[in-house]
């Protein structure tokens, strides 16, 4: 009898077939950056003040500035107050009373706002996301993050049920459907509904594309292939800066960011299903046809005898969520990893969603943020090999937190310094996120690995939901959000000192294995994957730690 891992070794770990698959899966990753961060360009700061059209009913020969001075109070800098206006005088008021400012009681804006800069339509000026509606900007981001959590819950089991290819095709269809629908919403409430809806397939794709790629790529190339595929998301962030700079009308921007998904209709024929999934489902003939196609594309000869002996791989026993808390050592690891994943997301999104708040041009900052993620993801692999998992995780979390804290003390007239600190912080948080996937999967035993990874991912999603709401605390003091984004990662990073080192250690299979003393041996990053493949194990342990690194 032959296991799929033996067949995969025959057709090639990473040949032309896998390269083609990598390219196909990288394109939606590239496009998903638009859905993740596109909104930050639609709510940029813009001068506004109360709409006072009622004054123009009076036949007074005054300039616009004079009209404004009679209806809107000025702040200490001499600019119109953005959220209050003078109370309109009674109908029987005389012109002398009116011009003499005898009616100087103020009230909140009650008839909308004017935007004198004349910018193209944006979410802010079309739906009046100012003053008492200002919080809706952050609320909508939290709604999107809640959609990411819902997508993980929905597409996790759905992908195992209907297959990787069908799931991806469905996700791309929903990308286009909800993305285009968003461009035509008549209200901000409906906009938030569409944001929640589109986040569901975005979240689903971040999991499904990794599963499909990891199940076709051999252990010697799996980690590199997945990191490379996810790096296309960083390229998408760079392209997003250019798209947002060129298209300022938010509805056209939404259409331009979504239409490219429609060009991927050929995935219906070009995208292969996971042969490993087909084998697990007992669809042996379909799996064999795909395997033969992969061997042909890779230019490899496949033994008919080996293919005829292909059987589903055996899976070991599994645990449940309660097992994570019954064993003292595993309980400690689990609780610390909950904190690590929470602050991973908090720090990463805390910096990413405030890309326009560091004083430098938002489009340039977004471009640099995208550029820095590519080496951040790549360097994480080398850091883990050189310094080990524990110190790499601790170092990236503490460094990211320190950068957030340092930004607080930078004077407002030094925006370049703030931006440089934010870039270093973004590098650290992106690296830390990647390390967390590897380290967590190596800490959880095989029997409970998928459950553990699922639970820590939930904490990451919860942090994503809370991150935009933390930004609202700047209403009380502008430093509060950065204090939170900085202090919590530092605290979680220091907790990592209590975790065991896993570099050079075989992955634990059972909870009882945690009791054994580690015996270091010189292995590479992918060694644990090789052991899994060689023993005929399922791809679960390998796939678990190379899941998406951008949420």
């Amino acid at each position: 009898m032959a296991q799929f891992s033996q067949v995969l070794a025959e057709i090639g770990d990473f040949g032309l077939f896998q390269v083609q698959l990598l390219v196909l899966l990288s394109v939606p990753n590239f496009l998903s950056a638009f859905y993740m961060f596109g909104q930050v360009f639609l709510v940029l700061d813009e001068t506004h003040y109360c709409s006072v059209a009622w004054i123009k009913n009076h036949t007074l020969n005054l300039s616009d500035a004079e009209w404004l001075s009679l209806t809107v109070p000025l702040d200490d800098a001499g600019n119109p107050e953005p959220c209050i206006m003078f109370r309109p005088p009674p109908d029987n008021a005389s012109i002398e009373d009116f011009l003499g400012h005898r009616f100087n009681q103020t009230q909140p804006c009650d008839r909308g706002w004017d935007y004198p800069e004349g910018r193209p339509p944006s979410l802010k000026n079309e739906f009046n996301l100012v003053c008492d509606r200002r919080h809706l900007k952050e609320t909508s981001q939290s709604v999107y993050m809640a959609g990411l959590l819902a997508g993980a819950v929905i597409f996790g089991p759905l992908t195992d049920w209907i297959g990787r290819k069908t799931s991806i095709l469905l996700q791309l269809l929903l990308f286009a459907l909800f993305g285009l629908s968003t461009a035509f919403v008549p209200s901000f409430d409906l906009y938030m509904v569409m944001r929640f809806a589109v986040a569901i397939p975005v979240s689903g794709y971040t999991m499904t594309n990794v599963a499909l790629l990891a199940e076709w790529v051999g252990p010697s190339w799996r980690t590199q292939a997945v990191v490379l595929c996810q790096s296309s998301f960083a390229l998408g962030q760079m392209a997003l800066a250019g798209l947002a700079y060129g298209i300022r009308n938010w509805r056209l921007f939404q259409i331009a960011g979504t239409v490219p998904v429609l060009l991927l209709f050929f995935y219906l024929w070009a995208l292969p299903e996971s042969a490993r999934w087909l084998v697990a489902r007992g669809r042996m003939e379909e799996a064999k046809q795909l395997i033969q196609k992969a061997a042909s594309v890779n230019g490899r000869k496949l033994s008919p005898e080996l293919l005829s002996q292909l059987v589903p791989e055996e899976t070991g026993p599994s645990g449940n969520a309660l097992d994570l808390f019954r064993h003292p050592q595993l309980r400690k690891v689990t609780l610390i990893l909950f904190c690590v994943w929470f602050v991973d997301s908090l720090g990463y999104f805390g910096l990413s969603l405030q890309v326009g708040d560091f004083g430098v041009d938002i489009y340039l900052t977004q471009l640099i943020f995208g550029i820095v993620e590519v080496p951040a993801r790549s360097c994480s692999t080398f850091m883990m090999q050189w310094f080990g998992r524990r110190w790499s995780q601790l170092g990236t979390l503490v460094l990211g937190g320190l950068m957030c804290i340092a930004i607080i003390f930078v004077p407002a007239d030094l925006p370049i310094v703030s931006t440089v600190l934010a870039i270093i912080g973004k590098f650290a948080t992106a690296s830390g996120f990647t390390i967390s996937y590897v380290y967590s999967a190596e800490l959880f035993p095989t029997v409970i690995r998928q459950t553990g990874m699922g639970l820590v991912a939930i904490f990451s999603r919860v942090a994503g939901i809370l991150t935009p709401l933390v930004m609202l605390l700047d209403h009380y003091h502008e430093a509060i959000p950065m204090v939170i984004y900085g202090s919590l990662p530092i605290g979680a990073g220091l907790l990592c000192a209590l975790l065991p080192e896993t570099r050079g250690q075989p992955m634990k299979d059972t909870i009882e294995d945690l009791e054994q003393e580690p015996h270091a041996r010189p292995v590479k990053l992918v060694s644990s994957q090789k052991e899994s493949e060689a023993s005929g194990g399922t791809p679960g342990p390998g796939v678990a730690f190379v899941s998406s690194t951008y949420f």
Side-chain angles (χ1 to χ4, degrees), residues 255-496:
I255 293 172
T258 303
V259 163
V261 179
L262 300 176
L263 303 178
L264 305 182
F265 67 91
F266 68 93
Y267 277 37
L268 185 63
W269 304 281
L271 191 69
E273 180 55 274
S274 167
R276 193 188 291 263
W277 179 82
L278 290 172
V279 169
R281 287 285 174 171
R283 295 160 61 174
M284 303 303 296
E285 291 304 315
E286 296 176 66
K288 291 177 181 178
Q289 290 176 7
L290 265 178
I291 291 170
Q292 290 172 332
K293 177 183 177 181
S296 175
V297 173
N298 286 346
R300 303 286 289 266
K301 291 184 178 180
L302 183 62
S303 168
E305 292 78 11
L306 180 64
L307 189 60
S308 64
Q309 296 175 8
L310 181 63
V311 295
E313 297 180 345
E314 297 179 359
T315 58
S318 60
N320 58 60
L322 293 179
D323 291 331
L324 293 169
F325 302 98
R326 292 193 179 108
H327 187 282
Q329 174 69 6
L330 187 55
R331 180 169 59 246
K332 180 183 74 172
V333 167
T334 301
L335 293 176
I336 293 176
L337 289 180
F338 282 169
C339 297
V340 168
W341 280 68
F342 185 90
V343 300
D344 272 339
S345 186
L346 189 75
Y348 180 83
F349 285 113
L351 290 171
S352 299
L353 296 180
Q354 296 195 95
V355 65
D357 297 342
F358 302 116
V360 175
D361 181 74
I362 185 174
Y363 305 101
L364 177 60
T365 306
Q366 177 62 45
L367 176 64
I368 298 174
F369 271 17
I371 292 173
V372 77
E373 279 206 26
V374 177
R377 297 174 189 277
S378 302
C379 288
S380 62
T381 301
F382 298 105
M383 281 192 289
M384 287 185 286
Q385 292 174 337
W386 294 335
F387 306 113
R389 278 59 160 161
R390 176 172 55 190
W391 295 112
S392 296
Q393 185 75 83
L394 186 155
T396 52
L397 288 176
V398 171
L399 177 60
L402 289 175
M403 292 304 100
C404 291
I405 297 293
I407 289 173
I408 299 172
F409 301 100
V410 178
D413 58 350
L414 295 176
I416 294 179
V417 176
S418 296
T419 303
V420 170
L421 293 175
I423 291 169
I424 298 174
K426 185 68 179 293
F427 180 96
T429 56
S431 296
F433 230 145
T434 305
I435 293 169
S436 294
Y437 284 94
V438 179
Y439 196 19
S440 299
E442 292 177 345
L443 287 170
F444 287 125
T446 300
V447 295
I448 200 70
R449 184 168 294 121
Q450 294 290 10
T451 300
M453 294 297 290
L455 284 177
V456 295
I458 288 177
F459 274 78
S460 175
R461 298 298 192 189
V462 171
I465 295 172
L466 295 177
T467 300
L469 301 181
V470 171
M471 295 166 61
L472 292 174
L473 297 177
D474 67 354
H475 176 73
Y476 303 99
H477 193 287
E478 61 181 9
I480 293 178
M482 278 301 173
V483 169
I484 295 175
Y485 297 149
S487 59
L488 294 185
I490 291 174
L494 295 178
L495 286 176
C496 291

Side-chain angles (χ1 to χ4, degrees), residues 60-72:
L60 300 174
N61 186 23
L62 299 174
S63 66
D64 288 345
E66 291 171 325
W67 285 119
L68 192 60
S69 67
L70 292 173
T71 54
V72 177

Side-chain angles (χ1 to χ4, degrees), residues 86-160:
F86 288 126
R87 190 183 302 257
D91 294 336
N92 60 355
S94 66
I95 294 178
E96 290 76 12
D97 291 338
F98 188 68
L99 296 178
H101 293 278
R102 294 178 183 173
F103 301 99
N104 57 4
Q105 291 182 319
T106 60
Q107 66 176 44
C109 305
D110 61 357
R111 295 173 184 172
W113 287 262
D114 289 332
Y115 300 87
E117 296 180 21
R119 295 187 190 179
S122 67
L123 288 177
K124 173 164 281 190
N125 61 37
E126 184 168 330
F127 297 120
N128 292 322
L129 305 184
V130 296
C131 300
D132 59 343
R133 290 172 56 84
R134 169 180 170 269
H135 68 281
L136 291 177
K137 177 180 74 171
E138 286 77 19
T139 300
S140 62
Q141 289 285 22
S142 288
V143 168
Y144 177 83
M145 298 295 178
L148 293 180
L149 176 58
V153 173
I154 293 172
F155 276 103
L158 185 62
T159 297
D160 287 335

